[in-house]
């Protein structure tokens, strides 16, 4: 009685193989001579060499320092614009300047500094091997929240 296993046939028992009929053995022999392969993964079959598994898609390039910086600048701009300022600069320049917007500008400036400290700590932990590199979304989610003074 003939036997088959992945990539082989034999008249002798094959470890991990299955028993096949004489007709299947003849088909397998003819197919192998034509460059086909024997498979028993989903039952006995003879056919062309399967397509190789596609190479895994490489991960997108991790964010650069410039990407993190741009994300912080965008976050600062959105926060300032939500309070009616043109951008982060026009809000932060009110810091420590006597006038009706001093408290708001100072709170905004202090928040930006806290975000920068946090951002540099995250990047130091990445380069020091203490954590994996975050995505931009993860990075921003770890920033302190801005609290607008009353």
């Amino acid at each position: 009685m003939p036997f088959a296993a992945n990539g082989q046939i034999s008249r002798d028992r094959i470890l991990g193989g299955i028993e096949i009929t004489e007709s299947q053995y003849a088909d397998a022999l003819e197919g192998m001579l034509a460059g086909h392969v024997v498979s028993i993964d989903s039952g006995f079959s003879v056919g062309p060499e399967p397509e190789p598994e596609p190479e895994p898609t490489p991960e997108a390039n991790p964010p650069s320092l410039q990407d993190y910086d741009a994300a912080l600048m965008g976050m600062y701009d959105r926060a300032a614009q939500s309070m009616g300022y043109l951008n982060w600069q026009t809000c932060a320049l009110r810091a420590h300047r006597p006038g009706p917007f001093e408290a708001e500008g100072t709170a905004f400036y202090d928040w930006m500094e806290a975000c920068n400290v946090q951002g540099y700590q995250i990047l130091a932990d990445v380069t020091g091997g203490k954590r994996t590199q975050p995505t931009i979304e993860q990075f921003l989610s770890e920033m302190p929240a801005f609290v607008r003074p009353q």
Side-chain angles (χ1 to χ4, degrees):
M1 187 58 68
F3 296 87
N6 286 331
Q8 60 182 321
I9 55 173
S10 177
R11 294 242 174 238
D12 298 320
R13 196 169 292 278
I14 302 172
L15 182 64
I18 62 170
E19 192 173 323
I20 59 174
T21 67
E22 287 294 333
S23 174
Q24 288 173 318
Y25 181 85
D27 290 344
L29 185 58
E30 183 179 330
M32 291 173 78
L33 291 172
H36 291 219
V37 294
V38 173
S39 173
I40 63 166
D41 290 333
S42 300
F44 175 79
S45 67
V46 180
E49 183 82 34
E51 292 292 322
E53 290 290 321
E55 292 292 322
T57 305
E59 291 186 33
N61 292 335
S64 67
L65 185 58
Q66 291 80 12
D67 295 330
Y68 291 119
D69 187 56
L72 278 177
M73 294 300 111
M75 182 178 75
Y76 299 156
D77 276 342
R78 288 186 298 279
Q81 289 163 355
S82 75
M83 296 185 292
Y85 294 95
L86 178 63
N87 54 36
W88 68 265
Q89 294 99 329
T90 59
C91 184
L93 69 81
R94 307 293 195 273
H96 307 293
R97 301 273 191 244
F101 304 106
E102 178 181 9
E104 193 169 78
T106 299
F108 188 82
Y109 177 87
D110 291 344
W111 169 69
M112 287 186 1
E113 285 301 303
C115 289
N116 287 334
V117 168
Q118 177 68 14
Y120 281 115
Q121 184 60 58
I122 291 169
L123 297 178
D125 289 347
V126 169
T127 58
K130 294 181 182 176
R131 65 171 293 171
T132 59
Q133 185 171 353
T135 63
I136 294 295
E137 293 77 21
Q138 292 166 334
F139 180 77
L140 291 178
S141 74
E142 295 182 40
M143 296 299 122
F146 175 67
V147 179
R148 189 176 185 179
Q150 299 302 327

